[in-house]
Structures are given as C-alpha cells and as structure tokens.
Amino acid sequence: MQHPTVTPQALGRLVELQTDGRPVLSLYMSLDPTLAPHIADRRSELDSLLLDAIAQARDSGELGTEREIKRVGRLFVDERLAVDGARGLAIFACETGHFLEALALPEGVAPAAYLDERPVLGPLVGMARSERWCALLVSSRATRMFVGDREELAEVEDLLDDVHRRHSQGGWSQARYKRGIEKEIDEHIRHTCGLLFERYRRTPFDHLVVGCPLELRPRLERDLHPELRARLVGHFEIDVERATAEQTYGRVLPLIEEYESARERSVLESLREGIAPDGHASVGLDETLQALDEERVSVLLIAHGFTAAGFSCPRCGHLAASGGRCPIDGSPMRAHQNVVERAIERAVARSIEVLVVRANVEELRRAGSIAALLRY
Ligand SMILES: [Zn+2]
C-alpha cells in the first residue's frame, strides 16, 4: 500500500491540524527490513507502540484518547503496513474530526509513541526536502533525463540519436567519416542542451547532475544554458544507454549527499559569521526561541536528535526556555518536555527553512545545538 511521503505540504497539514484541545497520537515505526522483515514483525511493533500510547493515555486519565488509539489499531490492518520502499512509517491521529494521516518515511527512525497536544514533527522535519533534482545522461549518441528528489528519480524522456547508424550508411572515407561523427556529436549535445532548457522552463528543477563520458563533459558544459550551468553540481560516469533508473539513482545519491553536506557547511559558516557582534544569528535555546517569537528567523538550525525542555504561552504562543509568567500577557506559561517541537512547528507554519544538521553535528552542538540565521 502506498502512503504519502514527507513533503513540506504534508508537514503543513500537520501544523494546521485543529485539535480542539484533544491529544494527538504520533507513532513512529521503523520498517528496517533487517530488523522487521515480515508483516507480523511490523504488526507486533505497532501493537507494542499502541500499548505504550494506551498506558500514557491512562496515566493522564484520557478515556476518549484510549478509544482513539484502539481505532488506529483496528484501521492499520496488515495491508496498510505493507509499505514498499519506505524505511519508516509515521502515523498521526486525533479524535477531533477523526484525523488520521500516515506518512511513508525515506529514512529509518527509532520506534516511539507520543501523546501530546500537537503532532510530534521533530523526527520528520529533516526528511521533508522539496528540492527537485535532474540527472541528465548523455553519450555520444543518446540522451536520457531523470527527474525527482533525493528519494527517487524517474525517467522522463528517452531520445536516441543514432549518430553512428546514420553515418555508417554513407560511403565516406575514414577521415571524413570521423570528422562527420565529431560534428554530429557536437550537434547532438547542442540539441540535448536545448531540450533540457526547454524542459527546465516548463518544469523547473533546483539542481542538475550530469552522467556522461569524461571527454564529453567540457562540450556539454559549454553548451548548457547559463541558468542551467549555475545549477550544475556534479558529474558521474555511467553506462548511459543501459543504466536502469535504480543504477542512475545509485550514482546520483552520493552527489546529493555531498551537496547537502556542503550546504550544511555553508550555513554553519554563515552562522559563525553571524555570531560576531552585530551579526545576524542567534545561538542556543533562549536566543533562538526569542528570535522565532520576533519573526526574525530565516533559517532554523537544529542538531540531529536535539531535544530540550521549555515553555510556551497558551494564550499568545510566546516560546521561552524558562517558565513563570508570559512577559507579553502575563498568562502562566505551560511546560513542555520538548520545546524544540514547538519551535519546529512555528518555523514550518511560517515557511522558514529548518535545517537538521547531521554531517557537521558536532559544530552545532558546540553552539548550543539550536541556532538561527536572522533576517535582521
Ligand atoms: Zn503570552
């Protein structure tokens, strides 16, 4: 069974969920095939998470919630647990409006059940990448295009300019034949670059990687439209005519990961610059929650796995690391086991980029595990 994947839109649906004060159940399941290869294993993983959630509901004396949790158990029949290709599954349910959303996760998660006033988004937020990738495969006579995201690439066009076949029909001398082929290859590459730019204008993508023999690379880069050249982030070699979508993805993924890690390093570099006096950055929980409150955040950085206790004002939403009364309206602040969740939710609702730092996590930990680049 197919479930929707984690996208900024899916996060938006969860952020906007109206609960009318009813608790929200958030379940995270690992679908790691080495740990839980059979549906029966998934079934028992889900059952034990549901039991955990029921225990939490009983502790808080929420009888309606217990009914709701049992409803999820009944709805998630085996068929719904047979998710292809996903590494994890997240399930969100709330009694209000019989809300139920299941998302297939591209990365593994630690199994966990939460019963909270809002959906728990922390484990998801780093997976919601909306960037579009294009992989262009070019040989001296063939062109193929794959587009998608870091989870999946699909082939969109298949053009075979059979240069050699056309030429071998003429009775040319060896030298003329060779010059003719070079000219044809140049034309083929120009044609390819033109087609790519046309397609890009209809359906834009964020980044381009090119799979071609090394000797074609300079010609291709020369003929790419400047707008596309600016999006080119990597090159790989592959059997252009025979590679499957899976093999292509296998070559592209390391380039995507390299790009993401470089992006992390560059945001962390901006953070280092921003920490200077009069710089535009906040570090640590206190400063960053305040910056979020003041609507000054442009990028929110969170160290992978970071959680921290904190407070929010039930009346105006003010977020703070310490409790007491809200400085804005004097209401008693409400305690949260993990206020980072509230910060993520606020950022998603405001379309602020949330960067979960993984590759360079130690550097962010030294800066308090949470930080932000600020607009001013
Ligand atoms: Zn307040």
Side-chain angles (χ1 to χ4, degrees):
M1 173 149 184
Q2 291 292 314
H3 295 290
T5 56
V6 188
T7 57
Q9 291 75 20
L11 286 184
R13 286 196 294 277
L14 293 165
V15 165
E16 282 157 22
L17 173 66
Q18 298 295 322
T19 65
D20 295 335
R22 305 299 305 161
V24 181
L25 174 69
S26 306
L27 293 178
Y28 283 92
M29 291 182 65
S30 162
L31 301 184
D32 187 332
T34 59
L35 297 176
H38 303 298
I39 291 296
D41 301 316
R42 294 180 178 181
R43 179 88 254 158
S44 66
E45 186 186 336
L46 178 62
D47 287 346
S48 83
L49 289 171
L50 290 169
L51 280 176
D52 180 357
I54 286 172
Q56 293 179 42
R58 282 182 186 158
D59 285 348
S60 62
E62 294 272 3
L63 287 175
T65 307
E66 190 174 331
R67 267 201 315 275
E68 178 62 18
I69 297 166
K70 287 178 177 160
R71 175 175 79 98
V72 173
R74 280 196 307 278
L75 283 172
F76 270 79
V77 291
D78 288 357
E79 191 203 333
R80 285 203 180 192
L81 293 172
V83 191
D84 289 335
R87 308 284 301 184
L89 185 66
I91 302 169
F92 301 91
C94 181
E95 207 184 345
T96 306
H98 294 297
F99 179 84
L100 184 70
E101 170 116 31
L103 299 174
L105 309 182
E107 296 168 28
V109 285
Y114 305 91
L115 209 52
D116 194 27
E117 62 192 273
R118 299 293 311 161
V120 171
L121 304 181
L124 284 185
V125 76
M127 300 181 199
R129 297 182 186 88
S130 56
E131 295 189 318
R132 303 290 295 165
W133 287 79
C134 173
L136 179 73
L137 271 52
V138 186
S139 71
S140 58
R141 57 177 193 174
T143 296
R144 297 169 71 192
M145 287 180 203
F146 294 80
V147 293
D149 51 30
R150 81 176 325 279
E151 268 57 84
E152 191 178 35
L153 289 175
E155 186 155 15
V156 290
E157 231 168 303
D158 191 87
L159 312 162
L160 257 172
D161 278 8
D162 200 345
V163 177
H164 301 287
R165 189 176 49 76
R166 257 191 278 156
H167 271 282
S168 57
Q169 286 166 355
W172 289 4
S173 74
Q174 208 41 39
R176 272 191 67 195
Y177 175 71
K178 195 160 186 318
R179 274 201 307 278
I181 283 190
E182 288 305 316
K183 202 167 149 250
E184 285 284 340
I185 293 174
D186 276 345
E187 249 163 50
H188 165 64
I189 287 177
R190 256 199 309 280
H191 181 56
T192 290
C193 290
L195 279 174
L196 181 67
F197 188 61
E198 250 172 54
R199 198 196 142 75
Y200 165 78
R201 286 211 294 203
R202 282 199 313 274
T203 334
F205 47 79
D206 301 290
H207 311 292
L208 173 67
V209 288
V210 170
C212 70
L214 211 52
E215 66 271 17
L216 291 188
R217 198 177 161 184
R219 299 196 209 184
L220 192 74
E221 287 183 16
R222 181 195 63 205
D223 288 343
L224 274 179
H225 188 280
E227 230 175 282
L228 293 178
R229 211 179 296 135
R231 289 173 190 272
L232 182 62
V233 296
H235 169 263
F236 56 102
E237 290 191 66
I238 195 165
D239 184 339
V240 169
E241 283 159 60
R242 277 184 288 270
T244 62
E246 205 170 282
Q247 287 164 336
T248 305
Y249 176 71
R251 293 294 175 86
V252 172
L253 184 60
L255 296 176
I256 296 180
E257 286 171 343
E258 214 173 276
Y259 171 82
E260 286 174 351
S261 166
R263 160 94 181 123
E264 262 187 43
R265 285 196 301 277
S266 114
V267 173
L268 287 168
E269 176 63 42
S270 306
L271 182 66
R272 272 195 297 278
E273 288 164 10
I275 292 171
D278 298 324
H280 294 164
S282 69
V283 288
L285 189 62
D286 223 4
E287 272 183 34
T288 304
L289 291 180
Q290 191 182 337
L292 270 173
D293 254 4
E294 293 165 358
E295 312 268 349
R296 289 160 64 212
V297 174
S298 65
V299 183
L300 178 65
L301 290 86
I302 297 169
H304 184 237
F306 174 62
T307 62
F311 297 83
S312 75
C313 171
R315 197 174 202 183
C316 71
H318 172 70
L319 297 172
S322 49
R325 290 196 172 269
C326 172
I328 295 151
D329 51 37
S331 310
M333 302 274 280
R334 187 188 296 155
H336 297 282
Q337 274 181 0
N338 184 12
V339 77
V340 179
E341 271 296 327
R342 297 284 87 76
I344 290 171
E345 190 178 58
R346 176 77 61 87
V348 171
R350 301 279 193 282
S351 302
I352 294 166
E353 182 185 357
V354 181
L355 185 68
V356 177
V357 175
R358 293 158 193 258
N360 306 282
V361 69
E362 281 312 319
E363 181 173 350
L364 187 56
R365 284 196 187 130
R366 284 194 293 274
S369 295
I370 184 166
L373 302 185
L374 306 180
R375 293 192 284 118
Y376 55 89

